[in-house]
């Protein structure tokens, strides 16, 4: 059974986003270390490259935390897997299959539903990290102090 409503936004992301609802911030929330996580050795070379790219993006937005390492690892894995599946689908999402009798049927390529599932998971992970277009619109650029934000409301 799922909970009603949206998932709560992480406090760090909410602060950087500007706390639109003006709800109280939990100052007693435990803070994760803000150091850069190392790419796990179990990742392939391409996955490590994606891992470091995601870390660079989060570090540039000043929301990188060592606690995000597992989420970043999964995002790197699904990103590499979706690239491999897209390579399989270069000729298209459908394939023609000819039977022994010579009749041709068109079926969905077996990699197509896998790619759809991977992209859905990847978008969810990137949203958790604040790297989707929707999540980026909530983040205040610059130093995050919200300077100039009040001018827009006046």
């Amino acid at each position: 059974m799922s909970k009603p409503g949206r998932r709560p936004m992480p406090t760090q992301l909410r602060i950087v986003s500007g706390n639109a609802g003006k709800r109280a911030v939990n100052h007693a929330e435990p803070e994760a270390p803000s150091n850069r996580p190392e790419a796990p050795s179990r990742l392939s070379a391409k996955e490590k490259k994606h891992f470091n790219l995601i870390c660079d993006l989060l570090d540039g937005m000043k929301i990188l935390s060592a606690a995000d390492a597992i989420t970043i690892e999964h995002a790197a894995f699904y990103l590499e897997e979706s690239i491999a599946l897209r390579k399989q689908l270069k000729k298209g999402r459908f394939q023609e299959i000819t039977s022994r009798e010579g009749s041709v049927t068109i079926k969905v390529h077996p990699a197509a539903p896998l790619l759809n599932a991977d992209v859905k998971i990847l978008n969810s992970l990137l949203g958790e990290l604040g790297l989707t277009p929707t999540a980026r619109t909530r983040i205040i650029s610059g130093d995050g102090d919200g300077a100039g934000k009040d001018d827009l409301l006046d």
Side-chain angles (χ1 to χ4, degrees):
M1 180 182 250
S2 63
K3 294 181 180 179
R6 289 184 175 182
R7 253 189 253 161
M9 187 184 296
T11 303
Q12 178 68 17
L13 190 57
R14 199 166 85 202
I15 291 169
V16 174
S17 300
N19 194 11
K22 307 292 186 230
R23 290 178 184 86
V25 176
N26 181 6
H27 295 288
E29 180 178 284
E31 286 191 29
S34 61
N35 57 340
R36 185 184 182 99
E38 289 293 320
S41 60
R42 63 184 161 269
L43 294 178
S44 70
K46 290 181 180 179
E47 290 169 347
K48 284 182 182 179
K49 198 174 188 179
H50 299 313
F51 185 95
N52 290 324
L53 172 71
I54 293 169
C55 285
D56 290 343
L57 291 170
L58 292 172
D59 200 22
M61 295 166 55
K62 297 180 178 30
I63 56 173
L64 180 63
S65 169
D68 296 330
I70 295 171
T71 307
I72 297 169
E73 177 185 349
H74 286 106
F77 170 78
Y78 280 106
L79 179 57
E80 182 55 36
E81 188 171 285
S82 66
I83 290 170
L85 288 170
R86 273 195 309 238
K87 287 179 183 175
Q88 290 182 21
L89 294 172
K90 281 237 183 206
K91 294 181 181 177
R93 291 182 165 273
F94 298 97
Q95 59 185 9
E96 291 183 2
I97 300 174
T98 307
S99 67
R100 292 180 194 164
E101 295 81 30
S103 64
V104 176
T105 57
I106 298 175
K107 292 192 173 188
V108 175
H109 194 288
L114 296 174
L115 178 61
N116 290 342
D118 282 357
V119 168
K120 189 180 280 189
I121 293 168
L122 179 60
N123 282 337
S124 174
L125 291 169
L126 293 175
E128 286 286 323
L129 293 168
L131 292 176
T132 60
T134 305
R136 276 195 314 272
T137 60
R138 294 188 303 248
I139 296 175
I140 298 169
S141 61
D143 59 334
D145 64 355
K149 182 177 66 171
D150 293 334
D151 297 339
L152 295 173
L153 300 175
D154 290 336

